[in-house]
Amino acid sequence: MDTKCCGAEPVRVSEALRALSNAVQGSGVPPTVWFKESSPRNLKSRDFLVPRGALKKLFPDGEVPEDLLNTLKSLNSPGMPPIRSSLQSEAGLVIQLDRPAVFQRLLTDYSPYLRPAPSDVPGGQNVVILNCSPLHACRNLDSLRLSHLRAALITDHLAELLRLTGATVQLIPAVQNQDIKNFLHQLGVSWPSVSEATSVGETVSAFKQSLKECIYVNCNDGEQQELQDETPRVLFNMHLRPFIEEQHLSQQGYDPNLDAFLVSEEDLEHVAWLQTCVQECQEEAAHCTVLHVVSCEDEFHQQKLDLLWRILDPGATTQKHLICGPVRVLNPLSPVSCAQYFHIRKSQMQEASVMKYGDSVQGNRWDEIITCLASAAIKFEMMSTAHRSQVTLDLEDTNITTKGTKSGAFVMYNCARLATMFESYSSAVQKGLYPEFPSVGDLNYSTLREEVCKFLVNLSMDFSSYYNRVHILGEPLSHLFGQMFARLQLMKAIQSVLHSALDTLHILPLNQI
């Protein structure tokens, strides 16, 4: 297939699977499931597959009609990669892509892959309020627990992903303590501070007045609780079960044990922040959604706050809850604070850098690099596990600086390798060893070998081994330049995708280590 498809819609696996399924269904047979191959061994001969067993259910004799094979081979729809062959083999119905043409489409303009697909972009004025629930109770850095830090990092990452889809994102609560703000800033998290926030005192007063007349408040118990010298001081004793039953909320995921709620001043302030933020957003937006990011130990309490807000404001906006699993430290001698956690990881990065680079590891530049490595290590540790699952930290593991392809240090190391490679190429061009990079449209991607497709299956796992195995900047021989330029363009695309992903984590890629 020629390259006339270049400049067409970006190639997307989801669109390819949809087009293939529609083509089979359009031939008069029931819907079937296509599989995208991921095994390096199988990728040598196929990219998409309908297993042989499924074909027997689709066709009486298990044989795919010739006209369907021809239809599949000539598929040309938006997002569909160019197809080289469509055939029936021992494995089943097999589609193999035209690899050079696919690379041509992918690498001539890879900018569409650095942002969400158009279908994922919400229409209209859409505002998402991300409420990092644990931060409401954090008055100083010592009160910021590791589970709170995980919730804050996930909230920050979600904010960037949502902004990429075109949504307007508001983060609450405003951080009241400067030490917490500085600590988060050290990790690349920019959080609104109290100086930027609106006072909620009037809203809290209005809530108190409403609750004095609320039918779900036990007035007698509330008066007794208010006299007690507790921290936090209880203002109202509520019973949520009647409200849940009246509003038919039991089927919407609320805990069946929800009922008694001793409402404190802090609870009312929490809801007041939400109410104030929503009111401000609704002045400019057509739709507003609140997503509570909650540590698992606070999940039950956050549901109570959800219901309290519904009671105080029957027209309250849509609320959703994202629960973060616990963070466990292996064999701690005492509780580990967030500040200690950061200090430990930074010290380990410092020691590893000194072992590798010696006495040159000193000064502001190296301190910035080590801080960046520690920040990346922490974020990857906290967020490489599914958000509901437990994160287990081994703070005595000195191999954190190099261990595993999912570690932050490993990713940052590969960023530096890519940057160094392109710097080496530029330097060689200036010395006259290599020619200037040609126009992207003139590159010949047929020179890319089969092993390239292997590491494309899993960038983080296979890039490093590919880089070690394939000398991208080869000998300065003219007959090798075509292959070198194709590989360099592939590396440019990988670097851009990697940097784009790190941007969503607020991790600054390193140019050198």
Side-chain angles (χ1 to χ4, degrees):
M1 183 177 292
D2 60 30
T3 59
K4 64 183 179 181
C5 54
C6 293
E9 300 235 355
V11 172
R12 301 194 185 276
V13 172
S14 58
E15 293 299 327
L17 291 171
R18 184 180 298 112
L20 291 170
S21 297
N22 290 342
V24 173
Q25 191 173 353
S27 66
V29 299
T32 188
V33 177
W34 285 84
F35 293 93
K36 172 69 182 78
E37 280 293 359
S38 58
S39 161
R41 178 182 177 183
N42 291 336
L43 279 170
K44 292 181 179 180
S45 60
R46 61 181 184 253
D47 294 282
F48 298 95
L49 170 73
V50 176
R52 183 180 180 183
L55 294 181
K56 294 180 179 180
K57 298 179 181 178
L58 295 175
F59 306 101
D61 54 0
E63 294 294 321
V64 182
E66 190 67 28
D67 58 343
L68 176 55
L69 293 174
N70 292 331
T71 298
L72 290 171
K73 185 176 180 180
S74 60
L75 273 182
N76 184 18
S77 60
M80 183 69 205
I83 294 176
R84 176 186 176 187
S85 64
S86 168
L87 52 90
Q88 185 171 1
S89 70
E90 289 297 317
L93 176 54
V94 169
I95 297 291
Q96 186 172 35
L97 299 179
D98 184 342
R99 297 281 173 75
V102 172
F103 276 119
Q104 185 81 21
R105 284 182 64 174
L106 285 170
L107 300 179
T108 298
D109 178 17
Y110 49 78
S111 60
Y113 306 100
L114 307 181
R115 55 182 183 268
S119 59
D120 296 333
V121 178
Q125 294 291 324
N126 187 38
V127 174
V128 179
I129 297 172
L130 292 180
N131 173 35
C132 187
S133 180
L135 291 185
H136 285 271
C138 293
R139 303 303 179 190
N140 53 55
L141 187 54
D142 289 337
S143 65
L144 183 70
R145 301 198 299 268
L146 292 174
S147 60
H148 298 164
L149 176 60
R150 185 186 188 191
L153 293 176
I154 289 175
T155 304
D156 182 63
H157 179 52
L158 276 174
E160 282 305 304
L161 295 178
L162 288 167
R163 289 181 184 122
L164 284 174
T165 69
T168 300
V169 179
Q170 296 288 339
L171 295 173
I172 59 171
V175 172
Q176 301 183 30
N177 181 270
Q178 190 62 36
D179 289 338
I180 294 178
K181 184 176 181 180
N182 292 342
F183 177 76
L184 293 176
H185 181 73
Q186 200 171 26
L187 290 171
V189 178
S190 180
W191 205 274
S193 64
V194 72
S195 61
E196 304 167 18
T198 306
S199 172
V200 295
E202 292 185 4
T203 306
V204 170
S205 297
F207 285 167
K208 289 178 180 178
Q209 190 61 39
S210 297
L211 288 176
K212 287 178 181 178
E213 304 170 3
C214 179
I215 61 173
Y216 306 110
V217 172
N218 187 322
C219 296
N220 293 331
D221 288 349
E223 291 171 1
Q224 292 172 3
Q225 291 286 350
E226 193 167 4
L227 295 175
Q228 295 179 9
D229 184 19
E230 295 184 0
T231 304
R233 188 164 62 94
V234 175
L235 301 180
F236 300 95
N237 184 351
M238 299 187 69
H239 293 281
L240 301 174
R241 174 57 52 191
F243 178 75
I244 294 173
E245 293 173 351
E246 290 170 12
Q247 300 296 317
H248 307 290
L249 299 175
S250 57
Q251 303 302 316
Q252 296 186 23
Y254 291 93
D255 193 296
N257 298 311
L258 283 169
D259 189 16
F261 185 15
L262 302 180
V263 181
S264 68
E265 184 88 15
E266 287 77 8
D267 293 328
L268 294 180
E269 288 179 355
H270 190 142
V271 176
W273 279 116
L274 293 167
Q275 180 87 335
T276 302
C277 191
V278 167
Q279 288 174 346
E280 292 174 352
C281 293
Q282 287 179 337
E283 294 176 0
E284 302 179 359
H287 180 69
C288 180
T289 300
V290 173
L291 176 60
H292 305 291
V293 182
V294 189
S295 300
C296 59
E297 61 265 29
D298 300 323
E299 179 180 4
F300 192 69
H301 187 74
Q302 189 62 46
Q303 290 190 27
K304 291 182 178 181
L305 291 171
D306 177 317
L307 295 171
L308 174 61
W309 191 14
R310 287 172 178 259
I311 291 170
L312 290 168
D313 181 9
T317 191
T318 304
Q319 300 181 65
K320 299 181 182 296
H321 298 241
L322 186 146
I323 311 303
C324 303
V327 178
R328 174 174 170 257
V329 178
L330 291 179
N331 306 317
L333 298 178
S334 60
V336 178
S337 69
C338 290
Q340 289 173 316
Y341 175 42
F342 181 83
H343 176 73
I344 290 169
R345 287 295 180 241
K346 186 174 180 181
S347 297
Q348 290 168 341
M349 294 298 170
Q350 173 85 22
E351 292 172 8
S353 299
V354 169
M355 287 181 63
K356 186 167 185 178
Y357 300 103
D359 294 337
S360 64
V361 181
Q362 53 185 309
N364 292 336
R365 174 56 183 159
W366 267 106
D367 186 66
E368 290 175 4
I369 290 174
I370 291 167
T371 298
C372 187
L373 288 171
S375 174
I378 288 171
K379 288 183 177 182
F380 273 72
E381 272 189 299
M382 287 287 190
M383 298 200 293
S384 59
T385 303
H387 66 88
R388 289 226 54 155
S389 301
Q390 174 177 285
V391 168
T392 302
L393 303 178
D394 184 358
L395 299 183
E396 297 180 0
D397 184 4
T398 56
N399 292 326
I400 187 65
T401 56
T402 56
K403 182 184 67 175
T405 56
K406 293 184 179 180
S407 74
F410 178 84
V411 173
M412 299 301 278
Y413 175 61
N414 280 324
C415 284
R417 294 177 80 180
L418 281 168
T420 302
M421 180 192 69
F422 286 117
E423 186 179 343
S424 298
Y425 168 73
S426 297
S427 176
V429 170
Q430 293 176 0
K431 294 176 181 177
L433 297 176
Y434 296 138
E436 293 283 348
F437 201 85
S439 169
V440 220
D442 295 336
L443 298 180
N444 179 11
Y445 295 105
S446 64
T447 59
L448 293 177
R449 303 304 182 194
E450 201 71 30
E451 66 264 24
V452 173
C453 301
K454 295 180 183 179
F455 84 85
L456 283 175
V457 173
N458 193 330
L459 173 61
S460 64
M461 292 291 289
D462 296 325
F463 163 71
S464 187
S465 61
Y466 172 80
Y467 186 92
N468 290 333
R469 188 174 67 253
V470 177
H471 297 288
I472 297 171
L473 298 180
E475 293 292 325
L477 303 175
S478 58
H479 69 281
L480 298 177
F481 288 157
Q483 184 180 63
M484 180 187 73
F485 289 138
R487 287 173 171 171
L488 280 173
Q489 182 65 8
L490 178 61
M491 293 301 106
K492 283 183 182 179
I494 289 173
Q495 184 185 54
S496 296
V497 171
L498 188 56
H499 287 191
S500 180
L502 291 175
D503 281 346
T504 69
L505 296 167
H506 290 151
I507 295 176
L508 184 65
L510 292 179
N511 292 326
Q512 63 181 37
I513 297 181

